[in-house]
Coordinates of all heavy atoms in Angstrom, one line a residue:
A30 N 7.4 8.9 -3.3 CA 6.0 9.3 -3.4 C 5.5 9.6 -1.9 O 5.9 8.8 -1.0 CB 5.2 8.2 -4.0
P31 N 4.7 10.6 -1.8 CA 4.1 10.8 -0.5 C 3.1 9.7 -0.3 O 2.3 9.4 -1.2 CB 3.3 12.1 -0.6 CG 3.1 12.3 -2.1 CD 4.2 11.6 -2.8
M32 N 3.1 9.0 0.9 CA 2.2 7.9 1.1 C 1.6 8.0 2.5 O 2.2 7.6 3.5 CB 2.9 6.5 0.9 CG 3.4 6.3 -0.5 SD 4.2 4.7 -0.6 CE 5.8 5.0 0.3
A33 N 0.4 8.5 2.5 CA -0.3 8.7 3.8 C -0.5 7.4 4.4 O -0.9 6.3 3.8 CB -1.7 9.3 3.5
A35 N 2.0 5.7 5.7 CA 3.2 4.9 5.5 C 4.4 5.7 5.6 O 5.5 5.3 6.2 CB 3.2 4.1 4.2
P54 N 3.4 13.4 3.2 CA 2.0 13.5 3.0 C 1.2 14.1 4.2 O 1.4 13.7 5.3 CB 1.5 12.0 2.8 CG 2.5 11.2 3.6 CD 3.8 12.0 3.7
A56 N -2.1 14.1 4.5 CA -3.4 13.4 4.8 C -3.4 12.6 6.0 O -4.4 12.3 6.6 CB -3.8 12.6 3.6
N81 N 2.9 17.2 0.6 CA 1.8 16.8 -0.3 C 0.4 16.9 0.4 O 0.3 16.7 1.6 CB 2.1 15.3 -0.6 CG 0.8 14.6 -1.2 OD1 0.1 13.9 -0.6 ND2 0.7 14.8 -2.5
C83 N -4.1 16.7 -0.2 CA -5.2 16.2 -1.0 C -6.2 17.3 -1.2 O -6.3 18.2 -0.3 CB -5.9 15.0 -0.3 SG -4.8 13.6 -0.3
R122 N -9.9 12.0 5.9 CA -8.7 12.8 5.6 C -9.1 14.2 5.3 O -10.1 14.5 4.6 CB -8.2 12.2 4.2 CG -7.5 10.9 4.2 CD -7.7 10.2 2.9 NE -7.0 9.0 3.0 CZ -5.8 8.7 2.5 NH1 -5.2 9.7 1.9 NH2 -5.3 7.5 2.6
S142 N 3.1 19.3 -3.5 CA 2.4 18.5 -4.5 C 0.9 18.3 -4.0 O 0.6 18.2 -2.9 CB 3.1 17.1 -4.7 OG 2.9 16.2 -3.6
F143 N 0.0 18.2 -5.0 CA -1.4 18.0 -4.8 C -1.9 16.8 -5.5 O -1.5 16.4 -6.6 CB -2.2 19.2 -5.3 CG -1.9 20.5 -4.5 CD1 -1.1 21.5 -5.1 CD2 -2.3 20.6 -3.2 CE1 -0.9 22.7 -4.3 CE2 -2.1 21.8 -2.5 CZ -1.3 22.9 -3.1
H144 N -2.9 16.1 -4.8 CA -3.5 14.9 -5.3 C -5.0 15.2 -5.4 O -5.5 16.0 -4.6 CB -3.3 13.8 -4.3 CG -3.2 12.4 -5.0 ND1 -2.4 12.2 -6.1 CD2 -3.7 11.2 -4.6 CE1 -2.5 10.9 -6.4 NE2 -3.3 10.3 -5.5
S166 N -0.9 15.4 -9.6 CA -1.1 14.1 -10.4 C -2.2 14.3 -11.4 O -3.2 14.9 -11.2 CB -1.6 13.0 -9.5 OG -0.7 12.9 -8.3
I185 N 2.7 15.1 -12.6 CA 2.9 13.7 -12.3 C 1.9 12.8 -13.2 O 0.7 13.0 -13.0 CB 2.7 13.4 -10.8 CG1 3.5 14.2 -10.0 CG2 3.0 11.9 -10.6 CD1 3.0 14.4 -8.5
M187 N 0.3 9.7 -13.6 CA 0.1 8.6 -12.7 C -0.7 7.4 -13.4 O -1.9 7.5 -13.7 CB -0.8 9.0 -11.5 CG -1.0 7.9 -10.4 SD -2.1 8.4 -9.2 CE -1.8 7.2 -7.9
E190 N -1.0 1.4 -13.0 CA -0.3 0.4 -12.2 C -0.1 0.9 -10.8 O 0.3 0.1 -9.9 CB 1.1 0.2 -12.8 CG 1.1 -0.3 -14.3 CD 1.1 0.7 -15.3 OE1 0.4 1.8 -15.1 OE2 1.7 0.5 -16.4
A191 N -0.2 2.2 -10.5 CA 0.2 2.8 -9.3 C -0.5 2.3 -8.1 O -1.7 2.0 -8.1 CB 0.1 4.4 -9.4
G192 N 0.2 2.2 -7.0 CA -0.4 1.9 -5.7 C -1.1 3.1 -5.1 O -0.8 4.2 -5.4
G193 N -2.0 2.9 -4.2 CA -2.7 3.9 -3.5 C -3.9 4.6 -4.3 O -4.2 4.0 -5.4
H194 N -4.4 5.7 -3.8 CA -5.5 6.3 -4.5 C -5.2 6.8 -5.9 O -4.2 7.5 -6.0 CB -6.1 7.5 -3.6 CG -6.8 7.0 -2.4 ND1 -6.3 6.9 -1.2 CD2 -8.1 6.6 -2.3 CE1 -7.2 6.4 -0.3 NE2 -8.3 6.2 -1.0
A227 N 4.9 8.0 -12.9 CA 4.5 7.3 -11.7 C 3.6 6.1 -12.0 O 2.8 6.2 -12.8 CB 3.8 8.2 -10.7
G228 N 3.9 5.0 -11.2 CA 3.0 3.8 -11.4 C 3.8 2.7 -12.0 O 4.1 2.7 -13.1
G229 N 4.1 1.7 -11.1 CA 4.7 0.5 -11.6 C 6.2 0.6 -11.8 O 6.8 -0.3 -12.4
I230 N 6.8 1.6 -11.3 CA 8.3 1.8 -11.4 C 8.9 1.3 -10.1 O 8.6 1.9 -9.0 CB 8.7 3.3 -11.7 CG1 7.9 3.7 -12.9 CG2 10.2 3.4 -11.9 CD1 7.9 5.2 -13.1
Q248 N 8.3 9.2 -9.9 CA 7.8 9.2 -8.5 C 7.5 7.8 -8.2 O 6.7 7.1 -8.9 CB 6.5 10.1 -8.4 CG 5.9 10.0 -7.0 CD 5.0 11.2 -6.7 OE1 5.4 12.3 -6.5 NE2 3.7 10.9 -6.6
I249 N 8.1 7.3 -7.1 CA 8.1 5.9 -6.7 C 7.5 5.8 -5.3 O 8.0 6.4 -4.4 CB 9.5 5.3 -6.8 CG1 10.0 5.3 -8.3 CG2 9.5 3.8 -6.3 CD1 11.4 4.8 -8.5
G250 N 6.4 4.9 -5.2 CA 5.8 4.7 -3.9 C 6.0 3.3 -3.3 O 6.8 3.2 -2.3
T251 N 5.4 2.4 -4.0 CA 5.4 1.0 -3.4 C 6.8 0.5 -3.0 O 6.9 -0.1 -1.9 CB 4.8 0.0 -4.4 OG1 3.4 0.5 -4.7 CG2 4.7 -1.4 -3.8
A252 N 7.8 0.8 -3.8 CA 9.2 0.3 -3.4 C 9.6 0.8 -2.0 O 10.3 0.1 -1.3 CB 10.2 0.7 -4.5
L254 N 7.7 1.2 0.5 CA 7.0 0.6 1.6 C 7.8 -0.5 2.2 O 7.5 -0.9 3.3 CB 5.7 0.0 1.0 CG 4.6 0.9 0.6 CD1 3.4 0.2 0.0 CD2 4.1 1.9 1.8
H265 N 0.5 -5.6 6.5 CA 0.8 -5.0 5.2 C 2.2 -5.3 4.8 O 2.4 -5.7 3.6 CB 0.7 -3.5 5.3 CG 0.6 -2.7 4.0 ND1 0.2 -1.4 4.0 CD2 0.7 -3.1 2.8 CE1 0.2 -1.0 2.7 NE2 0.5 -2.0 2.0
W335 N -2.5 -1.0 0.5 CA -2.2 -0.3 -0.7 C -0.9 -0.8 -1.3 O 0.1 -0.9 -0.5 CB -2.1 1.2 -0.5 CG -3.3 2.0 -0.1 CD1 -3.3 3.1 0.7 CD2 -4.7 1.7 -0.3 NE1 -4.6 3.5 0.9 CE2 -5.5 2.6 0.3 CE3 -5.4 0.6 -1.0 CZ2 -6.9 2.7 0.3 CZ3 -6.8 0.6 -1.0 CH2 -7.5 1.7 -0.4
A336 N -0.9 -1.0 -2.6 CA 0.4 -1.4 -3.3 C 0.2 -1.3 -4.7 O -1.0 -1.6 -5.2 CB 0.8 -2.9 -2.9
G337 N 1.2 -1.1 -5.5 CA 1.1 -1.0 -6.9 C 1.5 -2.4 -7.6 O 1.9 -3.3 -6.9
Q338 N 1.3 -2.4 -8.9 CA 1.5 -3.6 -9.6 C 2.9 -4.1 -9.6 O 3.2 -5.4 -9.8 CB 1.0 -3.5 -11.1 CG -0.5 -3.4 -11.2 CD -1.0 -3.3 -12.6 OE1 -0.2 -2.9 -13.5 NE2 -2.2 -3.6 -12.9
A339 N 3.8 -3.2 -9.4 CA 5.3 -3.7 -9.4 C 5.7 -4.2 -8.0 O 6.9 -4.4 -7.9 CB 6.1 -2.5 -9.9
Ligands
FMN416 C1 0.6 3.3 0.6 C2 0.3 4.4 -0.4 C3 -0.2 5.6 0.0 C4 -0.3 6.7 -0.9 N1 -0.7 7.9 -0.4 C5 -0.7 9.0 -1.2 C6 -0.9 10.3 -0.7 O1 -1.1 10.5 0.5 N2 -0.8 11.4 -1.5 C7 -0.4 11.2 -2.9 O2 -0.4 12.2 -3.6 N3 -0.2 10.0 -3.4 C8 -0.3 8.9 -2.6 N4 0.0 7.6 -3.1 C9 0.2 7.5 -4.6 C10 1.7 7.8 -4.8 O3 2.0 9.2 -4.7 C11 2.3 7.3 -6.2 O4 1.6 8.0 -7.2 C12 2.3 5.9 -6.4 O5 2.7 5.2 -5.2 C13 3.2 5.5 -7.6 O6 3.0 4.2 -8.0 P1 3.9 2.9 -7.4 O7 3.2 2.7 -6.0 O8 3.6 1.8 -8.3 O9 5.3 3.3 -7.3 C14 0.1 6.5 -2.2 C15 0.6 5.3 -2.7 C16 0.7 4.2 -1.8 C17 1.3 2.9 -2.3

Side-chain angles (χ1 to χ4, degrees):
M32 294 184 287
N81 167 262
C83 293
R122 286 152 179 262
S142 73
F143 293 108
H144 212 45
S166 308
I185 304 159
M187 186 189 196
E190 298 90 325
H194 284 97
I230 305 165
Q248 174 162 292
I249 296 180
T251 303
L254 291 177
H265 197 169
W335 299 152
Q338 288 181 338

